[in-house]
Amino acid sequence: MCYVAGEEHMDMTFQLPERTCIGGAETELTLREIIRRLEQVYCGSMGVEYMHVHDIDCLQFVRERMERPGVLEKTPDQKRLIMRRLTKATFLERYFATKWPAEKRFGLEGGESLIVMMEEIVDTSTEFGIESIVMGMPHRGRLNVLVNVCRKQLTDIFTQFKPMEPKDRGSGDIKYHLGTYIHRFIRKTSKYIKVSLSANPSHLEVVSPVVQGKCRAEQFWRGDNTGDKVMSILMHGDAAFSGQGVVYETMHLSDLPSFTTRGTIHIVVNNQIGYTTDPRFSRSSAYCTGKALITRARLEQVFVITLLLCAEPLAVACYCIGVADFIFLADTSTSPRFLTLLAVSRQLLCWVDMYSYAF
């Protein structure tokens, strides 16, 4: 039976189901308020795909982190920190574009929220005892991540814009292939954490199994059998994530006893075009993250949460805290593996309206 609610029903009070969390401490809300809160959670700039999760307890855990009132609220100090990080990322790209307008650098314009996301993940991870993060990423945004997340010196970055002479020492590899590592001090938690970004060649996704291997090796030597001290983060472009087979192969290693790293955070930067390929001709799935749903075959062993659109830095920061909560706080007695995907929309000027159907 279908019921149609009209304006005369909007101020009627309804009992909230036990499973929903939109009421917070309230058990009854008017229909108008129910619709407003649901639209705020599920019709804004952020969306989470989690209804395919088979474990009811974990599904409820995610729902609580998404639906409870005030989940997107930040203090003025936290907002200023997000603004400062976003400003640093934006002005760095602007400086590169002004100083070296003809130099190939694979800028992060439009996707600066990636820096906010990475910084929030690093900060929050230290709260849960993570001591080392191993990262891999494509060319897009690498220079910005090196400077703002890995704290590589600007003088080293600027030097790499100058072509090497035959007499110069060094590998001569291009600047957006190189990696680095650093022991960072996190002011938020007053702890040190090792952050490393692996170098990778032009074949972008080759770095994925390399990062997993480095993470696994470090876990072994640290005696970290539960993944509580060392974690891995992999960043992808949308076309490479959906199109390259090594991503699929690496995912299928996620639950093998000899290869697992006890969870990986995958961040997909959506360029909305794969070099020259229209999204309609690059994949068969609705979203570039559809490949991750292969893990559904393992039922309660791997859970996939896909962030479909997150273009607001404040929403990005709040979501990353939810990701960390899910990875470190959820009951893992029956579900020891986690795979989380975040998609940041990098809007290209002439493609936004034409391909808005995808993201």
Side-chain angles (χ1 to χ4, degrees):
M1 184 177 294
C2 179
Y3 296 93
V4 179
E7 183 62 32
E8 64 275 13
H9 303 103
M10 289 298 174
D11 294 320
M12 294 177 60
T13 302
F14 292 87
Q15 183 79 23
L16 296 176
E18 292 183 2
R19 286 290 182 181
T20 187
C21 304
I22 61 172
E26 301 176 81
T27 58
E28 295 182 350
L29 290 174
T30 63
L31 181 58
R32 190 185 307 277
E33 182 63 15
I34 291 174
I35 294 175
R36 188 192 70 80
R37 295 191 184 188
L38 288 175
E39 287 181 344
Q40 185 178 23
V41 173
Y42 293 105
C43 300
S45 60
M46 179 173 64
V48 179
E49 183 179 353
Y50 64 96
M51 292 306 294
H52 59 278
V53 175
H54 291 76
D55 189 305
I56 298 299
D57 292 333
C58 280
L59 188 148
Q60 185 65 15
F61 188 94
V62 176
R63 181 182 287 139
E64 289 175 0
R65 293 308 188 276
M66 283 295 299
E67 292 186 352
R68 70 175 185 268
V71 69
L72 294 181
E73 293 180 1
K74 288 280 190 179
T75 65
D77 287 341
Q78 291 172 325
K79 291 180 180 179
R80 279 191 287 268
L81 178 60
I82 293 171
M83 183 63 184
R84 185 160 59 248
R85 288 170 170 172
L86 193 64
T87 301
K88 289 169 64 177
T90 302
F91 274 83
L92 181 62
E93 293 296 340
R94 187 175 299 177
Y95 179 80
F96 284 150
T98 304
K99 183 69 174 179
W100 296 282
E103 186 77 16
K104 185 185 291 186
R105 58 185 173 83
F106 293 96
L108 194 60
E109 288 93 346
E112 292 89 348
S113 294
L114 174 68
I115 302 302
V116 176
M117 178 181 294
M118 295 297 300
E119 290 282 72
E120 200 68 46
I121 291 175
V122 171
D123 288 354
T124 308
S125 297
T126 59
E127 296 181 9
F128 295 103
I130 291 294
E131 299 174 359
S132 178
I133 296 178
V134 185
M135 301 188 300
M137 69 177 299
H139 302 339
R140 180 71 61 194
R142 175 175 286 261
L143 298 182
N144 213 312
V145 170
L146 283 171
V147 172
N148 288 309
V149 180
C150 299
R151 299 296 193 265
K152 189 171 183 178
Q153 294 296 315
L154 283 171
T155 52
D156 295 336
I157 296 291
F158 296 158
T159 301
Q160 292 165 3
F161 278 88
K162 179 183 177 182
M164 294 187 68
E165 299 294 335
K167 62 181 180 180
D168 294 336
R169 299 178 61 183
S171 67
D173 202 355
I174 47 183
K175 51 192 169 294
Y176 43 81
H177 282 180
L178 303 178
T180 190
Y181 78 94
I182 187 176
H183 290 272
R184 276 187 55 181
F185 179 75
I186 306 300
R187 296 181 182 178
K188 181 179 179 180
T189 57
S190 298
K191 295 181 180 179
Y192 281 94
I193 184 172
K194 177 186 174 184
V195 179
S196 63
L197 178 63
S198 298
N200 68 287
S202 290
H203 193 65
L204 307 181
E205 294 296 344
V206 165
V207 77
S208 296
V210 174
V211 166
Q212 299 296 68
K214 292 176 67 175
C215 181
R216 171 76 182 193
E218 191 167 348
Q219 288 176 344
F220 175 81
W221 289 111
R222 286 176 179 261
D224 182 14
N225 298 320
T226 57
D228 293 333
K229 296 180 181 179
V230 184
M231 66 180 290
S232 57
I233 300 175
L234 286 173
M235 288 160 273
H236 315 266
D238 55 316
F241 186 82
S242 61
Q244 293 199 24
V246 68
V247 178
Y248 182 88
E249 295 164 1
T250 303
M251 282 188 172
H252 271 299
L253 297 175
S254 63
D255 197 39
L256 302 184
S258 299
F259 298 94
T260 181
T261 58
R262 281 86 185 177
T264 301
I265 295 178
H266 292 259
I267 302 174
V268 181
V269 178
N270 174 29
N271 296 282
Q272 302 198 40
I273 183 172
Y275 197 59
T276 59
T277 305
D278 186 304
R280 293 173 294 181
F281 308 118
S282 65
R283 61 177 182 266
S284 298
S285 59
Y287 304 104
C288 61
T289 50
K291 180 184 291 187
L293 295 179
I294 61 171
T295 53
R296 289 180 62 182
R298 302 196 190 105
L299 297 180
E300 297 181 355
Q301 293 184 0
V302 179
F303 301 138
V304 181
I305 305 176
T306 304
L307 182 63
L308 303 181
L309 176 62
C310 198
E312 295 182 7
L314 183 60
V316 169
C318 293
Y319 183 80
C320 289
I321 294 176
V323 168
D325 287 347
F326 180 60
I327 292 176
F328 296 109
L329 297 181
D331 179 14
T332 60
S333 58
T334 59
S335 48
R337 310 290 180 259
F338 295 95
L339 177 61
T340 305
L341 292 119
L342 316 174
V344 179
S345 179
R346 182 177 184 272
Q347 298 179 345
L348 301 183
L349 296 179
C350 59
W351 299 92
V352 176
D353 295 332
M354 191 177 300
Y355 300 122
S356 59
Y357 72 92
F359 286 89

